[in-house]
Amino acid sequence: MSDTAPDAPDSLISLLDQLQEVPEPMPVSLFPQTVGWLILGGVLLVILGYYAWRWFQKYQANAYRRAALAEIAAAENDPATLENILRRAALSALGRERVAGVHGADWLALLQAALPNRDMDIDLATTLAAAPYRPTAPSAELTRFVQDWVRHHEGLA
């Protein structure tokens, strides 16, 4: 009598031949399955759109700053040109009504008022304000002063 069952395979190869392919699982959907995720995604999209819109508005509103800084770089430390650039930047930022007729001490006070959290060097500002009317030697300090004002001024309420 034999120790093997009548339907038992004879060898390992015949066992391997009986193996079947494992079926592939269904692909997992990346689409959210519940409404809550769709609502959250929509809210996040609206918030992201709002912040992008605000950034773009600020970017457009500061175009005069970028233009003024480019002109300052090309001015080669000429005080009269720097004063002209500073006045045009102030016109753009603060409005024609506040800037157009202001000169002398009032002009310096307006410049200081637009820099509420910073101290302005009065000697440099006075030299710069007088530059269109009297010859002044080119100065890198004046250039830095004008750049600092253009970068950090705030609009007056």
Side-chain angles (χ1 to χ4, degrees), residues 66-131:
R66 291 187 301 278
L69 289 171
E71 288 182 31
I72 290 168
E76 298 178 356
N77 298 335
D78 178 37
T81 305
L82 292 172
E83 167 64 18
N84 188 11
I85 294 168
L86 181 64
R87 189 161 291 266
R88 285 195 328 249
L91 281 168
S92 295
L94 308 175
R96 185 166 298 281
E97 300 81 26
R98 287 196 171 141
V99 177
V102 178
H103 55 83
D106 293 336
W107 171 239
L108 298 178
L110 183 70
L111 290 177
Q112 178 59 53
L115 292 172
N117 299 328
R118 301 171 77 89
D119 288 332
M120 187 173 72
D121 187 348
I122 298 300
D123 294 333
L124 283 176
T126 305
T127 303
L128 191 64

Side-chain angles (χ1 to χ4, degrees), residues 5-118:
D7 59 344
D10 294 333
S11 69
L12 185 60
I13 293 178
S14 63
L15 284 175
L16 289 175
D17 289 339
Q18 291 178 7
L19 287 177
Q20 295 180 356
E21 292 266 336
V22 176
E24 285 191 29
M26 296 292 293
V28 177
S29 173
L30 296 178
F31 193 75
Q33 299 296 315
T34 60
V35 177
W37 286 110
L38 293 175
I39 292 171
L40 180 64
V43 168
L44 289 176
L45 191 62
V46 167
I47 290 171
L48 182 65
Y50 172 75
Y51 281 110
W53 175 68
R54 294 282 297 162
W55 174 84
F56 184 69
Q57 279 187 326
K58 189 174 181 179
Y59 180 79
Q60 282 185 325
N62 285 323
Y64 76 94
R65 289 182 198 251
R66 291 187 301 278
L69 289 171
E71 288 182 31
I72 290 168
E76 298 178 356
N77 298 335
D78 178 37
T81 305
L82 292 172
E83 167 64 18
N84 188 11
I85 294 168
L86 181 64
R87 189 161 291 266
R88 285 195 328 249
L91 281 168
S92 295
L94 308 175
R96 185 166 298 281
E97 300 81 26
R98 287 196 171 141
V99 177
V102 178
H103 55 83
D106 293 336
W107 171 239
L108 298 178
L110 183 70
L111 290 177
Q112 178 59 53
L115 292 172
N117 299 328
R118 301 171 77 89

